[in-house]
Amino acid sequence: MDRLANTIRPYAWGSTTAIPHLLGTEPTGEPQAEMWMGAHPGAPSRTDRGTLVEVIDAAPEKELGAASVAKFGPHLPFLLKLLAAGAPLSLQVHPDLEQARQGYEDEERRGIPVDAPHRNYKDANHKPELICALTEFDGLCGFRDPLRAADLLDALGVDSLKPYVDLLHAHPEDAALREVLTAILTADPEEMAHTVTEAAAACDRLGGAHAPYADIAHHYPGDPGVIAAMLLNHVRLQPGEALFLGAGVPHAYLNGLGVEIMANSDNVLRCGLTPKHVDVPELLRIVRFEAGDPGVLRPEATPDGEEVYDTPIDEFRLSRYVLPAGGTTHDLTRSTPQILLCTAGSVRAGEHALSPGQSVFVPAGEKAEVSGAGTLFRATVVA
């Protein structure tokens, strides 16, 4: 079992206080957006044996287990994060596995450098993800019912939005959503910036269901993503609640601290709320124009006290233990690799005492007994 030293990424949207508060450290005044735990080459965790990439590369089957290597290859298939949003992230979608393979191969064939700003596919993998709230957590997830979206836009009283309102009343709903999103993203930039300014002022005046979009517009003035965001469900998670974000589902995180886990991929197609490249034709190929409930997840308890967040993919499995003072020791030994992360209290994992924000990597088959009084998240795979 290896204690992990993890990199904190200073993305501009990050909170300046949430991660330091969890870790019990002084804020630096700079944003601290994500703490990465895993073997992503961009910022691998470090151990006494080297980086986690080096540790796994030296003996994949020993560290990951034969079943995981057979199913996912000789690398850790997930990335675990602490995510602290102090401002909205970009509105985005992720491809499914086949779309990612096709897109990656196409861009490789066309000779687009992997680090080019207009490159969509950094790898050939999909990127399903799960966010579990540690604090109250706001986000956008999936399309609203088109009629509800029409009502939200119509209430603003902005004349230039009337055509979108009319389109959202059309049938079938998938075609209506596609037409409106396409129109928003391909509108004249100056005209759209004026529309967004009017809409933001109305959102600020109306408050209520419109308040989140006023805040988004404050961070991204004139961005067409502000109007696109109003097509999506606004979700406020309470601590312990989660969202699963599958392929093609448009989403954005707005504010709060959470534990995020995802397949080990960098493939993102952006819809707005960003100065980065937006490839509208490719985005429209990937987005699933399906309205519905965002599907807030609550963990399902097992007899041994493990609380599991059920998801339909195998690259990761996230669960947690809420350990009471004086409780029993839990044996977490598995034939698959694990990362254990403490988020509250004090937890002992093997020989390691973990305080909030501290984590360990547990190789496949390694004895893993945990005890203490606190909250421990467990990340592994289904193999």
Side-chain angles (χ1 to χ4, degrees):
M1 193 180 298
D2 300 278
R3 182 181 290 274
L4 299 178
N6 303 305
T7 297
I8 295 177
R9 310 307 293 262
Y11 305 135
W13 49 261
S15 167
T16 58
T17 58
I19 289 178
H21 178 74
L22 183 76
L23 298 178
T25 59
E26 284 295 317
T28 64
E30 298 298 316
Q32 298 188 31
E34 296 180 346
M35 185 172 79
W36 289 19
M37 292 157 279
H40 192 286
S45 298
R46 302 172 301 282
T47 77
D48 288 342
R49 297 189 285 158
T51 71
L52 198 51
V53 170
E54 293 167 341
V55 168
I56 291 170
D57 284 350
E61 287 209 2
K62 178 177 180 294
E63 303 297 333
L64 304 176
S68 182
V69 171
K71 191 167 187 176
F72 304 111
H75 55 267
L76 190 67
F78 64 82
L79 176 64
L80 184 68
K81 299 179 180 180
L82 279 174
L83 183 146
L89 282 68
S90 62
L91 193 59
Q92 59 189 256
V93 296
H94 307 301
D96 64 26
L97 192 55
E98 184 57 31
Q99 290 166 338
R101 286 172 177 163
Q102 290 175 356
Y104 180 78
E105 289 171 2
D106 175 63
E107 290 185 326
E108 286 288 280
R109 186 168 55 250
R110 290 190 284 140
I112 301 174
V114 173
D115 59 354
H118 62 290
R119 173 107 184 198
N120 294 315
Y121 298 95
K122 305 295 194 293
D123 53 67
N125 201 13
H126 62 164
K127 194 187 176 187
E129 57 193 44
L130 178 78
I131 183 76
C132 177
L134 295 179
T135 64
E136 202 170 69
F137 193 98
D138 280 79
L140 305 172
C141 179
F143 286 107
R144 296 175 184 269
D145 177 276
L147 296 182
R148 289 179 53 231
D151 289 344
L152 197 70
L153 292 173
D154 196 33
L156 298 176
V158 175
D159 288 343
S160 53
L161 292 176
K162 300 291 187 187
Y164 303 153
V165 173
D166 292 341
L167 282 170
L168 287 167
H169 282 95
H171 294 284
E173 69 176 27
D174 58 342
L177 291 167
R178 178 183 288 273
E179 282 194 54
V180 173
L181 184 61
T182 302
I184 291 168
L185 297 180
T186 56
D188 177 83
E190 287 189 15
E191 292 179 6
M192 178 53 70
H194 181 71
T195 295
V196 172
T197 299
E198 282 192 78
C203 286
D204 195 42
R205 183 180 67 253
L206 291 167
H210 292 86
Y213 307 98
D215 184 64
I216 292 170
H218 170 74
H219 290 284
Y220 297 98
D223 192 305
V226 174
I227 306 301
M230 297 182 74
L231 303 177
L232 306 186
N233 296 295
H234 174 248
V235 185
R236 176 163 291 168
L237 300 177
Q238 298 304 311
E241 294 180 335
L243 284 174
F244 174 72
L245 301 156
V249 176
H251 61 277
Y253 302 145
L254 303 180
N255 187 272
L257 177 67
V259 173
E260 185 183 36
I261 189 167
M262 61 186 62
N264 217 348
S265 171
D266 276 337
N267 288 326
V268 176
L269 289 113
R270 296 174 177 84
C271 315
L273 309 182
T274 178
K276 295 182 179 178
H277 176 61
V278 176
D279 184 335
V280 175
E282 186 64 10
L283 172 71
L284 296 173
R285 190 178 77 88
I286 298 302
V287 171
R288 293 183 179 174
F289 291 94
E290 301 170 1
D293 186 278
V296 173
L297 292 177
R298 295 169 183 85
E300 299 177 6
T302 66
D304 70 348
E306 184 180 26
E307 299 178 345
V308 181
Y309 293 91
D310 187 36
T311 61
I313 51 91
D314 294 343
E315 281 88 345
F316 60 76
R317 176 185 183 274
L318 185 71
S319 61
R320 69 174 185 174
Y321 286 83
V322 181
L323 304 171
T328 60
T329 297
H330 294 266
D331 185 353
L332 273 57
T333 307
R334 283 179 68 98
S335 60
T336 52
Q338 303 180 75
I339 291 178
L340 307 179
L341 165 67
C342 175
T343 59
S346 179
V347 176
R348 177 162 289 278
E351 63 185 21
H352 300 284
L354 304 180
S355 58
Q358 295 184 331
S359 56
V360 293
F361 172 70
V362 185
E366 187 82 12
K367 188 72 171 176
E369 291 186 337
V370 301
S371 59
T375 301
L376 185 78
F377 279 83
R378 178 195 211 185
T380 186
V381 302
V382 180

